[in-house]
Amino acid sequence: MQRYWRLMAVAAVVVLTIGTFYIQSAIAANGLPEITVEKVSGDADEMKPVKLVGNYTFGNGMGESVQVDAEGSTYGSEKSFFERIRNDLFHKKVDQLQAKYKGFMRGKGGKASSYLETEDTLAYADVINQATPGGGKIEFDIAVLDKANDETTSFTVPVPNRAMYVQVQVQDVQMTEDALNVITSNYLENGGTETHHYRFDIAKQDITDENMILSDKVQEDKRTHSSIVSGSDQAAAYDEIIFKKTVDPIIERTDQGRDTASATGEQEYIVYNPETEETRTLEFPGSLADQNILDRSDTMLYFKDQQQIVQYDMETEQMINEMDIPTSFKKSEKWGGVTRIKNDTAYMLTRNQEEPRRLAVLDLPSGDILFEGKIKLDDPVDKNASLSLNELQVE
């Protein structure tokens, strides 16, 4: 009998939670402004693949998630309870893969960096059984789909030396011939982090090689952090993987943690070849040395330098194109807030929250401005509310 009471209590909580969600959503939906991208110049069709994502915050601190595309705006309260949960857990790329490969994607995680998609293959790698720190059998969960015959190879392999790590996270998946290459961040018991490369033989369903690429050790006077430089499509195939390594001096210690001065820190870009396991450091021209990479496409890297987008070829180590950023925008508007590169086209959103934010679509080979638009609210944002757009997606 006690069991049934528990089931009834759980059911009541679920019903109450969902019911409260819909009541709050109905209330929130009233009075929310319509948000659009108003054309300034160019072809409005260039806006069709673009989606802007952010939050609309009220004066009381409460907020609504919002998406803006060519059709207008959609607030979180306009979506179903389960749609909102899914949007929080799954990357847009993963949603696209699930729609196209339903059988293979069943039971797979929502991180785009766990996937690799090529013309012939869809591969997946994750690390499972990490719910209990120091317990469980931490394993790689591997799956590879051959698109030609619709056959899937799936297997699990224990993470080598797993007792050394608090957690292991997959950062990238690549393939070389019949080998699957998985790049991970391995978090050590002592607080340090190592970047590892695990090579899997698909036919043998086992790890054939392991290589530590980078080590971010805990030091008294500085903090080191390494991260992968990924393109807009995190599931894309690359022959080489780029890491950004930053070293920041520690200038103040507190009981809660460490404050660092990143402004005086150093950064470098390291290229790793999974096939040869060789590394090299990218040496950029002086004007690009301290700039962050906006995006990458195959061997091309894109930077913002002053009022230009600079295209840099990793193979020749040369700048091959410099394109002027639109000058029709006010000087107070700051470029580089969000930039995405796809099919030789740059999509750029200003990051100034005080002015009407603007979106530009630029053709990289010619330098032509294909479209300019400004973000418009039917009811202007007043002192009690604000709009923050922090993500730009291109389908």
Side-chain angles (χ1 to χ4, degrees):
M1 189 66 175
Q2 186 177 8
R3 177 186 177 188
Y4 291 109
W5 277 111
R6 288 178 179 174
L7 290 174
M8 290 174 65
V10 171
V13 170
V14 171
V15 171
L16 181 61
T17 300
I18 296 177
T20 302
F21 164 81
Y22 281 110
I23 291 172
Q24 291 178 341
S25 296
I27 295 173
N30 294 323
L32 291 173
E34 177 68 12
I35 306 171
T36 57
V37 179
E38 185 179 71
K39 174 182 169 180
V40 174
S41 65
D43 185 358
D45 285 345
E46 298 292 340
M47 176 65 194
K48 288 184 177 179
V50 178
K51 181 179 291 184
L52 307 176
V53 182
N55 290 279
Y56 184 80
T57 305
F58 306 100
N60 59 7
M62 300 296 289
E64 276 275 341
S65 63
V66 63
Q67 297 180 353
V68 183
D69 57 25
E71 302 299 321
S73 55
T74 304
Y75 286 91
S77 56
E78 298 177 271
K79 298 181 179 181
S80 72
F81 179 76
F82 298 102
E83 283 178 324
R84 291 179 69 173
I85 291 178
R86 180 173 185 80
N87 286 343
D88 289 339
L89 296 177
F90 287 83
H91 189 277
K92 180 65 177 179
K93 176 66 178 183
V94 178
D95 280 339
Q96 294 171 350
L97 292 175
Q98 288 182 331
K100 194 172 182 180
Y101 306 100
K102 293 182 179 179
F104 176 83
M105 294 297 293
R106 189 172 294 113
K108 303 292 190 297
K111 284 181 56 180
S113 57
S114 286
Y115 296 87
L116 167 71
E117 185 180 23
T118 67
E119 184 178 347
D120 305 315
T121 305
L122 177 59
Y124 171 80
D126 196 9
V127 180
I128 58 176
N129 301 327
Q130 299 191 86
T132 305
K137 186 180 180 183
I138 302 177
E139 297 179 311
F140 283 106
D141 182 14
I142 304 296
V144 179
L145 170 67
D146 186 326
K147 293 182 180 180
N149 56 30
D150 198 29
E151 292 185 357
T152 299
T153 302
S154 301
F155 57 94
T156 59
V157 181
V159 174
N161 304 311
R162 55 192 178 275
M164 296 172 54
Y165 311 121
V166 175
Q167 192 176 34
V168 178
Q169 293 184 353
V170 173
Q171 300 298 334
D172 196 20
V173 180
Q174 298 295 330
M175 288 197 74
T176 52
E177 296 184 357
D178 293 329
L180 186 70
N181 301 289
V182 179
I183 308 300
T184 65
S185 290
N186 295 16
Y187 298 91
L188 302 170
E189 292 281 354
N190 66 4
T193 306
E194 296 175 347
T195 302
H196 283 240
H197 166 209
Y198 297 93
R199 190 189 306 273
F200 294 83
D201 187 307
I202 305 302
K204 296 180 180 179
Q205 300 188 10
D206 201 1
I207 296 174
T208 58
D209 190 24
E210 177 186 1
N211 180 37
M212 185 175 73
I213 307 170
L214 299 169
S215 177
D216 297 337
K217 298 179 179 179
V218 176
Q219 301 180 60
E220 290 297 320
D221 59 343
K222 58 186 176 181
R223 184 180 65 186
T224 304
H225 175 70
S226 301
S227 60
I228 283 183
V229 177
S230 59
S232 298
D233 184 358
Q234 295 185 40
Y238 297 110
D239 292 332
E240 295 182 309
I241 300 168
I242 306 173
F243 296 92
K244 178 184 177 181
K245 186 170 184 176
T246 59
V247 180
D248 298 327
I250 297 173
I251 60 172
E252 182 181 353
R253 296 179 183 277
T254 65
D255 294 336
Q256 291 75 30
R258 295 173 174 175
D259 296 326
T260 63
S262 58
T264 59
E266 300 175 353
Q267 70 177 33
E268 64 177 341
Y269 290 95
I270 299 168
V271 178
Y272 178 75
N273 187 314
E275 185 170 11
T276 64
E277 298 187 355
E278 295 177 342
T279 60
R280 61 188 174 92
T281 302
L282 286 177
E283 299 292 342
F284 297 119
S287 61
L288 302 181
D290 296 325
Q291 302 295 330
N292 290 323
I293 296 174
L294 292 176
D295 210 333
R296 72 169 295 192
S297 177
D298 198 15
T299 63
M300 298 299 169
L301 304 180
Y302 298 90
F303 295 82
K304 176 189 172 295
D305 182 22
Q306 301 298 322
Q307 288 299 112
Q308 291 183 322
I309 294 179
V310 179
Q311 190 174 7
Y312 179 88
D313 191 331
M314 288 171 51
E315 291 185 336
T316 63
E317 297 188 354
Q318 297 290 326
M319 293 190 297
I320 63 172
N321 190 16
E322 299 175 69
M323 184 182 63
D324 290 336
I325 292 172
T327 57
S328 58
F329 290 2
K330 298 177 182 179
K331 291 183 179 179
S332 60
E333 292 176 326
K334 301 174 183 178
W335 282 107
V338 186
T339 300
R340 295 289 178 263
I341 310 291
K342 187 171 184 179
N343 299 329
D344 286 329
T345 304
Y347 301 82
M348 302 184 70
L349 179 69
T350 57
R351 65 173 183 239
N352 193 333
Q353 302 289 351
E354 297 176 359
E355 301 285 344
R357 299 185 71 178
R358 301 220 181 183
L359 173 74
V361 182
L362 303 96
D363 180 67
L364 291 174
S366 67
D368 293 339
I369 301 170
L370 305 178
F371 173 77
E372 286 187 46
K374 64 179 180 180
I375 312 302
K376 180 183 177 182
L377 283 75
D378 282 353
D379 297 322
V381 177
D382 58 23
K383 62 180 181 180
N384 295 319
S386 63
L387 173 64
S388 174
L389 298 173
N390 47 41
E391 185 177 351
L392 191 161
Q393 300 174 356
V394 182
E395 296 183 356

